[in-house]
Amino acid sequence: MTRGRKAGGVVRLVSVAVVLSIILVAIQSSFFHPTTGPVNLSTEEIRILSHFQSNLEQCVANRGLGLTAHIIDHCNLILKFPQGTNSTWYNEQFKIFEPLEYKYDVCEAILLWEQYRNMTTVLTREYLDSRPDGWFDYAAKRIAQLGADKCYNQTLCEEHLNLILPAKPPFHPRQFRRCAVVGNSGDLLKTQFGEEIDNHDAVIRDNEAPVNEEAILMKIFVAFPFLLADNEVLIIKSVIHRDFNAMIKKIRNPVYLFQGIVLRRGAKGTGMKSIELALSMCDIVDIYGFTVDPGYTEWTRYFSTPRKGHNPLQGRAYYQLLECLGVIRIHSPMRAKRKQDWSDVPSREMINNAHRAALLLKKKQAGQEGGLGQFVNCKVWGKSGPYGTGPVSGSTDMTDTRKYSNYNRWEVMPFESLREEARKHYIQMEGVSLYKMDGNKLDDLVCVKHPLKS
Ligand SMILES: *[C@@H]1O[C@H](CO)[C@@H](O)[C@H](O)[C@H]1NC(C)=O
Ligand SMILES: *[C@@H]1O[C@H](CO)[C@@H](O)[C@H](O)[C@H]1NC(C)=O
Ligand SMILES: *[C@@H]1O[C@H](CO)[C@@H](O)[C@H](O)[C@H]1NC(C)=O
């Protein structure tokens, strides 16, 4: 539709689009059958999204410390670094220095990131059982030694995965109110932000130092209500490994495998994975130490030598977009002295409206009317037992150390012990857990139904 139009005359373009679509709708409803006529743009959705865009523009102006947003249309915008920003990051692949401007589809971004709030991001047995290719194909990709082979022998694959495979989701959407995600430059912030970070309901620490080539750990520390030594959960971000299994048997902590990875991209963008994980269980996600601090123009400060695959400008722009979409809150030394004021970040209500508008628009453009229910993207359905039942992870291969682990506290936690918001969500979702089929696909979900508690 209006996507792909170049910048310039922005306001005029939007208003022309609005007028045109009013006329189109009027003509269409009188002459054509509504389902076979040309795609009609909805003026109401465009109005809501345009309003959201101006709010975003203002938010970037207030919080970006130099970054500016330039609206192209109701869905697209460009984030620009100020002139004079030193782009010292040379991309070997494209033979260019990092660009100083980035185009984003805000509608897609809202759909993607709001979806994470309802998602299960930890791999479970019910997920593998529900996917038609779950064990044979998908599980095989999550085990390092098998390489490209499939799980011709499911027993063998189960042996690899049992240790880290809970029967049902160990964590739930809306389980925590506030979570902190601490990036790999987090240590620098310890003295300044330590207490603030510890005041969260859960802390996700992104450990980018590879444990081995493939597996990367992410730790969740939960401040409440467990004791310190036992309150750490490990999440492996890419694939399980035989050596890794041996290590897991020696520790008491629960260990799980992150589900929503994009398989071909491997361990890249691990900061994003932590945010996805956090969003799948927390209302508010505060990020610390992510080398995306606003206001810097000298990017070489962050890394001693330019490493391949680092795109600090691109990262910085994207994180700023996420903040102004209401997905994360960026905390940085540059902002420490500023008042913690989030009034320019969109409210829950505003995000919900924009999400609905973006969804309606997308459906109309695809020629699909109606069907906006919460299960509209469920491509595959599965069934599982009631909440809190089923074997706990590792129960078929329990070392003495793991027998005293607390992981079953998550996996068999009574429904009644969940936070009220999480229980409400569960009931509203009719006991259905949503999983991604593939990490970067918006539309294909695996949906597993659990019986509701009577
Ligand atoms: C940009 O960075 C490069 C590499 O660090 C440096 O040689 C150059 O002088 C810088 N340019 C400006 C304008 O700061
Ligand atoms: C499958 O793997 C298990 C465990 O390694 C082994 O005991 C069993 O014999 C294998 N089954 C077949 C049919 O190869
Ligand atoms: C997310 O869950 C809420 C219920 O808590 C539901 O109303 C909403 O439609 C869901 N959204 C998506 C994108 O699944």
Side-chain angles (χ1 to χ4, degrees):
M1 223 13 48
T2 45
R3 199 180 292 171
R5 270 186 192 155
K6 292 281 167 273
V10 167
V11 176
R12 199 161 47 87
L13 263 189
V14 170
S15 57
V16 166
V18 169
V19 172
L20 272 182
S21 59
I22 291 171
I23 296 167
L24 257 185
V25 170
I27 293 172
Q28 207 185 317
S29 51
S30 52
F31 289 102
F32 299 103
H33 190 270
T35 52
T36 55
V39 177
N40 60 329
L41 282 178
S42 163
T43 50
E44 176 64 6
E45 278 88 63
I46 290 178
R47 191 190 61 75
I48 291 168
L49 289 167
S50 299
H51 176 60
F52 191 80
Q53 289 278 60
S54 0
N55 192 82
L56 218 162
E57 186 181 36
Q58 189 58 52
C59 172
V60 172
N62 294 352
R63 316 192 70 82
L65 291 171
L67 266 174
T68 47
H70 303 261
I71 299 171
I72 300 173
D73 62 28
H74 55 276
C75 276
N76 295 286
L77 59 70
I78 294 177
L79 292 192
K80 287 186 186 171
F81 283 91
Q83 286 208 314
T85 303
N86 196 351
S87 174
T88 55
W89 293 86
Y90 189 70
N91 186 319
E92 303 272 356
Q93 193 185 348
F94 298 113
K95 311 261 180 271
I96 48 162
F97 283 95
E98 257 206 295
L100 294 178
E101 50 179 79
Y102 295 89
K103 182 167 176 269
Y104 295 107
D105 184 335
V106 171
C107 296
E108 281 292 313
I110 297 174
L111 292 176
L112 178 69
W113 290 98
E114 281 307 301
Q115 191 181 54
Y116 274 111
R117 296 186 184 277
N118 288 10
M119 216 47 68
T120 300
T121 51
V122 168
L123 186 71
T124 62
R125 183 171 287 276
E126 66 177 27
Y127 175 78
L128 293 177
D129 288 343
S130 301
R131 271 183 83 134
D133 61 345
W135 282 100
F136 185 68
D137 199 16
Y138 181 85
K141 289 186 184 132
R142 306 305 304 271
I143 303 166
Q145 285 92 349
L146 293 175
D149 289 345
K150 316 265 186 228
C151 285
Y152 293 107
N153 181 346
Q154 183 174 331
T155 315
L156 180 71
C157 281
E158 283 193 293
E159 279 173 9
H160 279 93
L161 290 172
N162 270 333
L163 215 50
I164 48 147
L165 206 58
K168 300 181 199 331
F171 302 111
H172 301 271
R174 326 273 196 275
Q175 184 156 354
F176 307 110
R177 197 176 88 79
R178 286 179 67 221
C179 298
V181 177
V182 184
N184 61 346
S185 59
D187 284 349
L188 306 171
L189 304 174
K190 237 176 215 158
T191 45
Q192 200 172 346
F193 289 107
E195 207 185 316
E196 190 181 316
I197 290 172
D198 289 345
N199 273 334
H200 286 76
D201 302 312
V203 180
I204 295 170
R205 205 168 280 279
D206 195 32
N207 186 356
E208 288 207 48
V211 174
N212 63 41
E213 268 176 34
E214 309 268 1
I216 285 183
L217 284 180
M218 179 157 51
K219 297 179 179 182
I220 307 178
F221 300 84
V222 182
F224 177 84
F226 305 126
L227 293 172
L228 198 72
D230 272 345
N231 70 353
E232 203 176 307
V233 179
L234 302 164
I235 313 268
I236 300 166
K237 277 194 263 189
S238 50
V239 293
I240 190 72
H241 208 272
R242 195 171 284 134
D243 303 343
F244 218 74
N245 270 345
M247 189 276 269
I248 293 169
K249 285 182 191 171
K250 293 190 194 127
I251 59 170
R252 289 174 54 164
N253 309 72
V255 184
Y256 302 118
L257 193 54
F258 187 75
Q259 189 270 320
I261 65 161
V262 180
L263 286 162
R264 284 155 303 283
R265 225 183 335 142
K268 283 266 177 64
T270 49
M272 285 296 165
K273 297 294 150 225
S274 310
I275 292 173
E276 290 165 12
L277 180 80
L279 273 181
S280 74
M281 51 178 109
C282 318
D283 293 352
I284 297 170
V285 177
D286 290 304
I287 72 163
Y288 296 85
F290 260 89
T291 62
V292 288
D293 293 353
Y296 283 103
T297 50
E298 183 60 75
W299 295 91
T300 39
R301 274 171 186 228
Y302 286 120
F303 314 97
S304 45
T305 53
R307 273 195 282 142
K308 265 191 198 165
H310 261 128
N311 300 299
L313 291 180
Q314 186 189 328
R316 166 76 192 109
Y318 193 66
Y319 279 80
Q320 188 57 60
L321 180 76
L322 289 186
E323 184 173 51
C324 287
L325 286 175
V327 175
I328 54 171
R329 295 170 168 187
I330 302 171
H331 298 262
S332 81
M334 296 284 292
R335 283 182 176 175
K337 293 205 176 62
R338 297 159 50 123
K339 207 166 135 255
Q340 293 270 333
D341 176 8
W342 307 98
S343 59
D344 49 6
V345 170
S347 66
R348 200 59 249 161
E349 192 193 354
M350 201 172 172
I351 298 167
N352 287 345
N353 287 340
H355 179 266
R356 196 183 150 71
L359 194 59
L360 274 167
L361 210 56
K362 189 179 160 175
K363 291 279 158 203
K364 284 181 184 175
Q365 285 170 351
Q368 309 164 324
E369 296 291 328
L372 284 186
Q374 54 200 7
F375 305 126
V376 67
N377 290 328
C378 293
K379 286 279 148 29
V380 172
W381 279 94
K383 257 193 189 156
S384 196
Y387 178 84
T389 61
V392 295
S393 56
S395 51
T396 53
D397 186 11
M398 198 73 85
T399 59
D400 280 345
T401 313
R402 294 196 69 71
K403 274 181 200 153
Y404 303 106
S405 164
N406 75 340
Y407 59 91
N408 59 355
R409 286 206 220 182
W410 299 107
E411 295 173 29
V412 300
M413 188 200 277
F415 182 73
E416 294 73 29
S417 309
L418 277 179
R419 182 171 171 250
E420 191 190 351
E421 286 79 354
R423 277 182 279 134
K424 274 192 184 154
H425 173 78
Y426 185 81
I427 288 162
Q428 206 169 331
M429 292 302 283
E430 300 165 36
V432 173
S433 296
L434 310 180
Y435 297 83
K436 290 245 179 191
M437 200 91 125
D438 187 1
N440 57 358
K441 277 231 189 85
L442 194 62
D443 293 338
D444 298 349
L445 302 184
V446 174
C447 302
V448 182
K449 171 114 180 109
H450 308 98
L452 281 174
K453 282 259 160 172
S454 50

